[in-house]
Amino acid sequence: MVHPLQLFKTLSDETRLAIVMLLREAGELCVCDLCSATTESQPKVSRHMALLRESGLVIDRREGKWVYYRLSPNMPAWAATVIDTSWNCLREETRLKLKNRLPGSC
């Protein structure tokens, strides 16, 4: 179970916060979509995804050579509330990042 200190440390990184907000908005995204929306490199996004997975905030699934991520349905309700509240503040910014990502980035 995620501890509040761990959650806030994890979300204090701008890239990880953006990734969590993108997943909150889109539901599920592959690494290439996350790279495009955050304008970060694949190795950097993958490192951040490993930290988010270890913290219990995201889960992944493989489909062929692609890895898809989504927010974990098993995170504590209080953590989901923090994410939802943050998303309400960052909703327009997050939607713009999704809209402006490179088409066909996969």
Side-chain angles (χ1 to χ4, degrees):
M1 179 181 275
V2 67
H3 185 276
L5 181 60
Q6 180 186 11
L7 175 71
F8 290 113
K9 280 184 176 182
T10 301
L11 296 180
S12 70
D13 179 87
E14 185 178 347
T15 302
R16 286 192 296 271
L17 177 62
I19 289 169
V20 169
M21 294 299 104
L22 289 163
L23 293 174
R24 168 60 178 81
E25 174 68 23
E28 183 177 70
L29 292 168
C30 68
V31 172
C32 57
D33 287 331
L34 291 168
C35 291
S36 180
T38 61
T39 65
E40 298 290 351
S41 68
Q42 183 274 322
K44 186 172 183 179
V45 168
S46 291
R47 279 194 307 275
H48 285 296
M49 295 314 299
L51 290 169
L52 289 167
R53 226 180 14 258
E54 288 169 11
S55 72
L57 294 178
V58 301
I59 57 174
D60 64 345
R61 70 175 177 88
R62 291 195 176 274
E63 189 173 300
K65 64 180 182 174
W66 304 113
V67 179
Y68 292 87
Y69 292 94
R70 62 186 168 106
L71 294 178
S72 174
N74 301 319
M75 79 172 74
W78 65 265
T81 300
V82 168
I83 290 170
D84 286 344
T85 302
S86 300
W87 177 80
N88 282 328
C89 294
L90 299 170
R91 173 179 32 214
E92 295 308 317
E93 178 182 325
T94 302
R95 288 178 176 163
L96 189 59
K97 284 180 183 179
L98 277 174
K99 179 182 174 190
N100 291 336
R101 72 179 184 238
L102 299 173
S105 55
C106 293

